[in-house]
Structure formats: structure tokens, C-alpha cells
Amino acid sequence: MKIKLTYLYPDLCGLYGDRGNAMAIKRLCEKLNLSLQIDRVNDIGDRIDFDHTDLMLLSPGELSTFPNIVEDLKANIEALKAYIESGGYFFAIGSSACVFAKRVNRINRPSYQGLDIGYFDCQERKSIYGDDLIFTCEMVNQKREVSSSQIQTVDILASHQSQRFGKIVYGYGNHHNTDEGIRYKNLIITNALGPLFVKNPWILLDVIADIVQKKGEKLDTSKINFFLEKKSFEVSKKFNLHKKTSYRFSLKS
Amino acid sequence: MRFILELYLGKLFAFLTDRIDKNRGTSFAGYCILKLDRKFISKFKGIHKDQVILVSGTNGKSTTTHLIVHILKHNGHKVISNVSGANLASGIATCLIKNSDCHGRVKEGYLVLEVDERTLKYILDWIPAKHLLITNIMTDQVARNGYPEFIYNIFSDIIQKDMTLYLNNDDPRSKAFESLGTEVVYYGCERMNFNKQKQSLFDITMPCPKCHHKITFEYMNGSNIGHFYCSNCGYSNQKKIKYCVKSIDFKKGSAEILDTKFKLPYTASFMIYNYAAAISLTHHLGNSIHTIVDAFQNFRNIEGRIETFQFNQKKIFYLRMKQENPETLQAAIDVVIRDKHKKAVVIGLCVIDDFIPFYSNTFYSFDCQFDGLKAETVEKIICFGETICYDVANRLIYDGIPLNKIEMIPSNDGNQILTSIAQCQSTHVYLITWLKIYHQILSSVPSC
């Protein structure tokens, strides 16, 4: 069984060690005896194959980088929309939410339009906000807990049409409320850094299992052991829910 | 009149803190007076623009400032500086309080200031400065500085047209300020023999600061430092620069600049860039290359960069890294890898506790490469840290280090860490953590 990852613009959007997500996909596929093909889209203008991909990954980047990426994806907009509408998995991490926003409002720099998928806007923050982020979300009909960190350079301003990806247990999330990220079908826009799949491989396992199932096969997960990740999750949750150094909008549940 | 009162009060605070707690003596007086008057720094007299040198950037500020001060003094110049690393407005105010007379007139000579990236905009509003040296613009303290472009934009907005800029020719972001100053002095290094060529599927470079397309490196002397070009807009290094460190020989501890050999006491690549930066500035100010190089003979760097101590018949090498700073972590790992002795490695990344909220970020470790630690000469790797030791261990496993070579200590307790070190067979032990934790561990060593 072969799975194909399209790793979008890693040189342009490579902040916060997020390449670890691509490494996690490779590692888990190896553990599951799945063959993984990684297509790296290195620069603006490089060909993107939406037809034969199972998973797309776009990592956080600098805010001035996104207008070029938006224009590049606009050139492929029909294929991208078809991929998302058909339930293809697309993870947009951290500030790369800007690519899918209707509008990105910047401070002292030109604002720009995004692809407008997912019904939300982005607002650049005056100051950066960093903290841990713990939330629950639903992955392939299973409720999952996620432990991560967050470096908020833009706030996600959801609309009444948008659907959140997760519900905050601890942290800031989209905009100082209980919402974490945006979900539109299997386009998942999340603030979760960590990297997400490294710290929470159970999320990735759900995604891969779903991809494999859609191809008519079933995964053998019996040998999968997330011992270190579970220990990490435990101590991180304990630390965050009991720390005396949390910000005032800590939303302990 | 108000300024004079504030100055006297500041001098009193400085006098008292120097006697009560030397560690706080570098910034406490300035901190208090700035609470009374935010523009206090702008009211000092006798500061000559041509003699003001500001050193800013992500990494290497302290060492570069220290080198500049040392060279200038060695060449007979009078120098005032905040070399103690107090690089925020409070530290700079304290430096001026201590080095001015009772009328607020600053002593004669060069004023060499290490300035935090975020503080630079205020300092440029308050102090006229002719010379600005930028070491590099990289990822650092992301909960405060976000991403490199965030700092790049701050610098772009505040660099004054009549400034002389000293720019790192091998750092794409630093070099991109070249269009903003009247005069630009470039410094850099030729290809180092251990330089990195990024080739793996997961290796990444960076976006071009001018057109935001991909920057390609022909080689790297450090993380995103080296010979670069952008194939979209053509942006690249200056082909030939005056201040280029050549013939770098780490084994012999020597290098050359302007056809003159000099002593190189460090094996970390970023240290050589600090030397190149300091040489370019002091030579440009009119000092001869021979007296500059001569100054290095008795240069002793500020505490805590690379230190050693003895414990249980083992030599412990402390390699300083800064919180959330992948470049300093990678530089430390590279030093370990270059040592061919049998060794143990102790890594403590710990909770980020600069300001509230404290948090458990370890994602910056994925900006580094640890695979060199797979070497047989590495006996064991100890990961410590109450909340994050499992994440660090996992990071090592991602780079192929077997779990049975890793010990996890979910604590920052110095005694517990030293007990594990004592059990290692290797006589060389590398300790990589931040300065505060190093001091904590050091205080648990019986002989220290």
C-alpha cells in the first residue's frame, strides 16, 4: 500500500520546527509498513499534483510569504477545491491559516486576500503570544485530546458559517475563546505546533487509517506503541492545568 | 532640573545595588529611573554620534560587543559599554548613569552598546548613533519575537539613512539591509571545512527577504548562513568583500583576515563570525589590523559561553544554549560531534520561563540535526527537564538515536543529574542547557 504526501513549500514555510510533521508521517508509515511517497513542492511555480495525493501539509511561515503562495495556489484553485471537496486531507499549521482566510489584515503592511475556504479572516496581532495549547477534537468519529504549543502571530476570526477544529481545554486558540482552528471537510487549519503529529501521533494514525480504509484496506495497528508521546502528554497536561504561571484567560475545564 | 534629580537618584541606586547585589547592578538603577521618566536616556549630554556604536541582531551580540570593546581599549581608546550583557533600555540607562558626571555629561570616548533587537527602536530614538552592526537575524525567543521577519521589519523601519551599517554578508536577512544605510561594510567567512550541505528530504532553507521565493545555499557555515542566492530575484552574497575570514583551521586554532593571521580560540562557526564582525568595525574606524589581531592574544570572553569544570574525575564541558534558539543548540551539538573522544552528552531544554505564561516548547529542536550523536563515541545521552524530557528523547529517536542510549530524568535537580553523570564511563561529558540551569547544576558540585 502506497500513500502520497504533498509537502508544500517547506523552504518558504518552515517555522517552529514544523518539518517534524513530515518526519512523523514518514516514521509512522514505516512502523505501519506503508510505502510513503513525499512530493516536495519547493518553490512558487513548481507543479502540484492534486490528483494522486492522499495528504497535504503546509507549515507555518512568515506573513509576507503567503501572498505569493495564495497566488500560486489560485493558479490551481479548481484542482485544490476538488481535492478538498472530495475529502482529501490538508493540514495547514499555525500562520499558514492566512492562505485559506478570506482576508488577512496586517498592521503597517499591506493586507491581502486569501483563498477564502473555511469562512474566516485573519488579523495580525500587535504582539506575539506564545503558550501551550491543549484541546479536544474529533478525528474520524473519535474524540481525541491534543497537546501542543502555540505561537500566535495572527488571530483567526471565525464567522457563523465556519466550523471549529477543536475545543480548548487550556490555552488561547483562535481568538481568546474556546475555539481551536477551523475545519472544512478534511481541511484542518490548526494553531497547534509541537510539531502536532510528533506530539500527538494518534491524530496521524486516525488520518492514515482513514486514508487506507478509503483505499479498501485495513491497517494493522497492533504493534504501534506511543509510550513516549503518552508520557509527554501526561506531564504536559499536568503542567498546564496546574501551573501558576498561566495567563488570565486560562480556560481550565 | 528634573533630569538632574533623576540622575542623582540613579547614581544612588547604582551605588547601593553594586554593594548589595552585584548581579542586579547592571540594570536595576536604570530600571527604576525609567519608571519615573521613560525618555531619561535621551537627556544625557556629550554623546557624539560618530562615536556611538550599536551592536544588535539575534546571536553573537555579547561576544561581538565584548570583542569590539577589547580591541578599542587595546588600541588606546576610551570606551564606555554595557558589556555585562544588560542590553535592554534599563541596562543602557544604568551604563549611562554610571559613566556620566553630575551634570549628566557622558565620559569621553566610544560608546559601544549591545542592544536587544526589540529595544533598538527606542535606543535609536534616544541616542544619536552613526554605527550599527547587525550580527544576524534568526529564529529566537518565538513567544516574544515570533519569526525572523518580525525582527527584520522592525530593523527596516528604524535604520537611519546616514548610518554606517556593518552587515553579515553570509546571512540573507542581515545583508538585505544594505539598501538602507549610506555606507555598508560587509563581513563574512569563507567556506569552513565542516560546513553543511542541506540535502535530505526534510532539510529546509528560508524565504528570500526581498521577493519571498526560495533561497538556495551552495554551502552553509551555520544554519542558513553561507553562500546563498535567490533564483527568482537574483539576490545573493557580495562576491568579494574586504573583511572575509579565510584559511580557517580549527585544529591549529588560527585564521586569516586582510592577509594577517590571528588566533582563534573557539571551534564554533558563529564565534568566527563574531570575530569577523568586530574586526570589520574596528578596522573601518581606523585601527591597524596588526594591533587588532594583537588584541586577541589576551582576549577573555564573558562568562558562560564555553566553560569547563571537573566532577568525579570527569571533565564537564558546558556549552551554552539560549532558550528557544535553535542556532545555539545546533552550534553546541556541532561542537560535541567534532570531539572524537568517547563522551556522554547531557541535554536540558526545560520549560520556557522568560515571562508569563511559562510553556513547554520543544519544537525548536526540530530545527536542529542530532544525527551526529549516533556516533559510537557517544556513550549515552541524558535528557533532563521536568516537563519536557520525553519530548527531547523523542526528538533524538527521530534522528535515529536508539532508545537504549537515552536516559530520561524528569527533573532539573542538580544532584540527580550529577548522579547520572557519575555513572557514565566517559571522562568527557558535554552539558548543553541554558545558563541558569548550568549555575543550578554547578552549585550542586561539591568542589565548585
Side-chain angles (χ1 to χ4, degrees):
Chain A
M1 165 74 62
K2 191 173 175 182
I3 284 188
K4 189 169 141 186
L5 163 69
T6 300
Y7 189 15
L8 289 168
Y9 318 108
D11 296 294
L12 309 183
C13 300
L15 292 178
Y16 313 132
D18 209 66
R19 68 185 184 130
N21 278 325
M23 292 161 86
I25 295 167
K26 180 172 179 272
R27 189 176 174 211
L28 189 56
C29 283
E30 279 168 1
K31 282 185 177 178
L32 293 165
N33 283 322
L34 294 170
S35 160
L36 177 72
Q37 182 189 334
I38 302 179
D39 266 16
R40 241 181 103 129
V41 178
N42 284 319
D43 206 350
I44 305 299
D46 286 3
R47 185 179 168 272
I48 307 172
D49 179 9
F50 291 94
D51 293 333
H52 303 99
T53 195
D54 299 299
L55 178 58
M56 302 187 95
L57 176 65
L58 180 61
S59 291
E62 301 181 326
L63 300 188
S64 297
T65 308
F66 294 126
N68 280 347
I69 291 175
V70 169
E71 288 311 309
D72 203 33
L73 290 175
K74 267 186 188 167
N76 296 285
I77 194 68
E78 293 310 320
L80 172 63
K81 280 187 171 168
Y83 174 77
I84 292 169
E85 292 296 335
S86 67
Y89 280 99
F90 194 128
F91 280 83
I93 312 285
S95 58
S96 66
C98 293
V99 169
F100 291 96
K102 184 174 183 187
R103 185 173 171 77
V104 180
N105 296 312
R106 296 208 58 189
I107 302 167
N108 300 328
R109 293 284 183 277
S111 297
Y112 50 85
Q113 307 286 330
L115 295 173
D116 192 12
I117 304 175
Y119 310 107
F120 68 98
D121 289 329
C122 282
Q123 173 65 53
E124 183 179 8
R125 290 176 54 84
K126 278 184 189 161
S127 62
I128 311 293
Y129 180 75
D131 197 355
D132 286 327
L133 175 64
I134 298 174
F135 59 93
T136 56
C137 62
E138 197 166 290
M139 292 302 299
V140 200
N141 302 322
Q142 306 242 38
K143 192 180 174 188
R144 298 288 187 201
E145 277 191 299
V146 173
S147 159
S148 60
S149 296
Q150 174 171 18
I151 300 297
Q152 197 76 346
T153 54
V154 288
D155 282 338
I156 291 176
L157 309 177
S159 72
H160 65 279
Q161 287 169 286
S162 56
Q163 186 194 338
R164 71 180 175 196
F165 169 51
K167 185 182 177 199
I168 303 282
V169 175
Y170 171 85
Y172 181 90
N174 286 349
H175 183 48
H176 184 180
N177 51 23
T178 57
D179 294 347
E180 157 48 30
I182 296 287
R183 182 160 191 168
Y184 177 78
K185 298 188 181 272
N186 284 330
L187 164 64
I188 290 166
I189 295 159
T190 176
N191 299 295
L193 311 172
L196 171 70
F197 295 148
V198 171
K199 286 185 69 111
N200 308 276
W202 38 86
I203 296 285
L204 182 59
L205 185 60
D206 289 338
V207 170
I208 291 177
D210 192 39
I211 290 168
V212 169
Q213 198 187 21
K214 281 176 184 163
K215 292 186 179 204
E217 291 192 29
K218 214 174 172 201
L219 272 186
D220 175 14
T221 58
S222 58
K223 287 179 188 163
I224 298 295
N225 172 4
F226 296 134
F227 163 74
L228 274 179
E229 292 87 347
K230 282 179 181 166
K231 284 296 283 181
S232 162
F233 182 86
E234 264 170 46
V235 290
S236 172
K237 192 171 177 182
K238 189 177 160 196
F239 165 72
N240 281 297
L241 296 188
H242 296 96
K243 69 184 178 187
K244 289 174 183 158
T245 53
S246 61
Y247 201 49
R248 62 187 157 79
F249 43 70
S250 160
L251 301 166
K252 291 178 189 175
S253 62
Chain B
M1 187 61 190
R2 180 182 164 182
F3 169 68
I4 296 296
L5 285 174
E6 289 164 350
L7 179 67
Y8 279 37
L9 196 58
K11 283 182 179 291
L12 177 66
F13 284 152
F15 174 80
L16 292 174
T17 45
D18 271 353
R19 265 138 202 88
I20 297 164
D21 181 359
K22 275 256 179 205
N23 290 331
R24 301 198 68 188
T26 56
S27 59
F28 183 71
Y31 175 82
C32 296
I33 304 305
L34 285 170
K35 287 270 175 205
L36 299 172
D37 181 358
R38 207 169 161 269
K39 292 186 174 173
F40 173 70
I41 291 173
S42 67
K43 294 171 184 169
F44 284 88
K45 301 177 203 89
I47 297 175
H48 302 289
K49 186 172 181 167
D50 285 353
Q51 292 197 306
V52 177
I53 298 163
L54 305 181
V55 179
S56 197
T58 307
N59 293 319
K61 296 186 288 288
S62 297
T63 300
T64 305
T65 306
H66 203 53
L67 274 164
I68 291 168
V69 169
H70 181 76
I71 295 167
L72 291 175
K73 283 184 176 170
H74 187 84
N75 280 270
H77 300 285
K78 289 180 179 169
V79 186
I80 299 160
S81 178
N82 60 339
V83 280
S84 41
N87 62 18
L88 302 176
S90 54
I92 290 162
T94 307
C95 165
L96 295 174
I97 288 168
K98 287 181 174 178
N99 290 287
S100 58
D101 65 15
C102 54
H103 303 289
R105 181 166 292 278
V106 177
K107 289 176 192 167
E108 270 183 38
Y110 283 109
L111 178 58
V112 184
L113 297 173
E114 175 194 338
V115 189
D116 167 79
E117 306 92 287
R118 299 285 296 271
T119 305
L120 187 63
K121 64 178 171 186
Y122 304 110
I123 299 304
L124 280 174
D125 272 352
W126 297 332
I127 299 178
K130 172 74 180 163
H131 308 279
L132 175 62
L133 187 150
I134 299 171
T135 54
N136 45 62
I137 307 287
M138 293 181 175
T139 306
D140 180 37
Q141 288 186 294
V142 290
R144 179 171 172 260
N145 295 334
Y147 50 100
E149 191 201 23
F150 186 77
I151 299 299
Y152 177 85
N153 286 342
I154 292 176
F155 278 41
S156 301
D157 292 344
I158 58 172
I159 289 175
Q160 294 158 0
K161 280 211 166 100
D162 60 346
M163 284 184 135
T164 300
L165 301 176
Y166 301 83
L167 303 177
N168 186 340
N169 187 46
D170 298 342
D171 170 30
R173 290 191 188 90
S174 166
K175 185 182 178 276
F177 296 123
E178 62 198 352
S179 57
L180 301 177
T182 314
E183 190 180 15
V184 179
V185 177
Y186 299 98
Y187 63 88
C189 298
E190 71 173 14
R191 187 175 192 153
M192 296 179 196
N193 55 13
F194 61 82
N195 67 73
K196 302 160 181 183
Q197 179 80 51
K198 294 201 166 185
Q199 282 169 338
S200 136
L201 197 56
F202 302 113
D203 284 337
I204 55 173
T205 63
M206 58 178 284
C208 172
K210 297 198 173 185
C211 74
H212 312 294
H213 281 243
K214 179 186 171 173
I215 286 277
T216 303
F217 283 85
E218 277 180 19
Y219 64 83
M220 287 191 186
N221 286 332
S223 180
N224 287 337
I225 297 278
H227 193 272
F228 69 86
Y229 64 91
C230 170
S231 49
N232 182 58
C233 71
Y235 175 53
S236 68
N237 312 67
Q238 286 296 111
K239 293 287 174 272
K240 233 179 169 183
I241 58 167
K242 186 175 176 183
Y243 299 107
C244 181
V245 178
K246 297 174 180 171
S247 310
I248 300 160
D249 189 330
F250 290 108
K251 279 187 184 160
K252 289 181 184 163
S254 68
E256 258 182 52
I257 193 164
L258 297 172
D259 298 322
T260 310
K261 235 180 183 177
F262 66 96
K263 188 183 149 195
L264 205 60
Y266 300 104
T267 56
S269 63
F270 65 88
M271 282 291 187
I272 304 164
Y273 279 94
N274 298 339
Y275 274 72
I279 292 168
S280 70
L281 186 140
T282 50
H283 189 263
H284 190 74
L285 291 178
N287 301 284
S288 94
I289 188 63
H290 298 291
T291 55
I292 291 171
V293 165
D294 190 49
F296 297 149
Q297 296 294 332
N298 60 348
F299 174 69
R300 177 152 164 62
N301 203 358
I302 33 180
E303 185 233 3
R305 267 49 190 171
I306 300 172
E307 311 251 324
T308 57
F309 66 94
Q310 290 285 336
F311 167 68
N312 208 28
Q313 290 157 349
K314 296 178 199 305
K315 192 172 185 184
I316 317 274
F317 299 85
Y318 167 60
L319 303 173
R320 186 192 179 196
M321 60 162 292
K322 296 197 273 182
Q323 293 191 20
E324 299 186 286
N325 186 308
E327 176 62 15
T328 56
L329 175 57
Q330 187 65 63
I333 299 292
D334 290 345
V335 170
V336 176
I337 294 167
R338 280 200 294 277
D339 179 358
K340 301 300 173 204
H341 290 89
K342 186 133 179 112
K343 58 204 166 267
V345 186
V346 184
I347 306 176
L349 300 193
C350 308
V351 163
I352 309 298
D353 59 359
D354 285 345
F355 46 80
I356 288 173
F358 293 2
Y359 77 128
S360 61
N361 166 15
T362 53
F363 55 67
Y364 62 97
S365 65
F366 275 89
D367 288 327
C368 303
Q369 290 292 128
F370 295 85
D371 43 3
L373 298 179
K374 282 189 288 192
E376 280 181 17
T377 52
V378 178
E379 175 203 341
K380 184 180 177 182
I381 305 173
I382 300 168
C383 305
F384 72 87
E386 201 174 335
T387 311
I388 51 81
C389 71
Y390 304 108
D391 286 339
V392 178
N394 202 17
R395 173 67 192 100
L396 297 176
I397 290 166
Y398 265 84
D399 270 356
I401 294 152
L403 183 60
N404 60 14
K405 217 175 173 179
I406 302 169
E407 181 183 341
M408 288 165 265
I409 305 176
S411 162
N412 290 345
D413 179 60
N415 289 319
Q416 218 175 319
I417 294 160
L418 288 169
T419 305
S420 284
I421 290 174
Q423 286 163 1
C424 298
Q425 290 172 348
S426 310
T427 51
H428 279 201
V429 178
Y430 282 92
L431 169 62
I432 302 168
T433 189
W434 38 85
L435 197 58
K436 190 172 77 177
I437 307 288
Y438 163 62
H439 284 146
Q440 230 168 280
I441 294 170
L442 204 58
S443 67
S444 304
V445 177
S447 59
C448 292

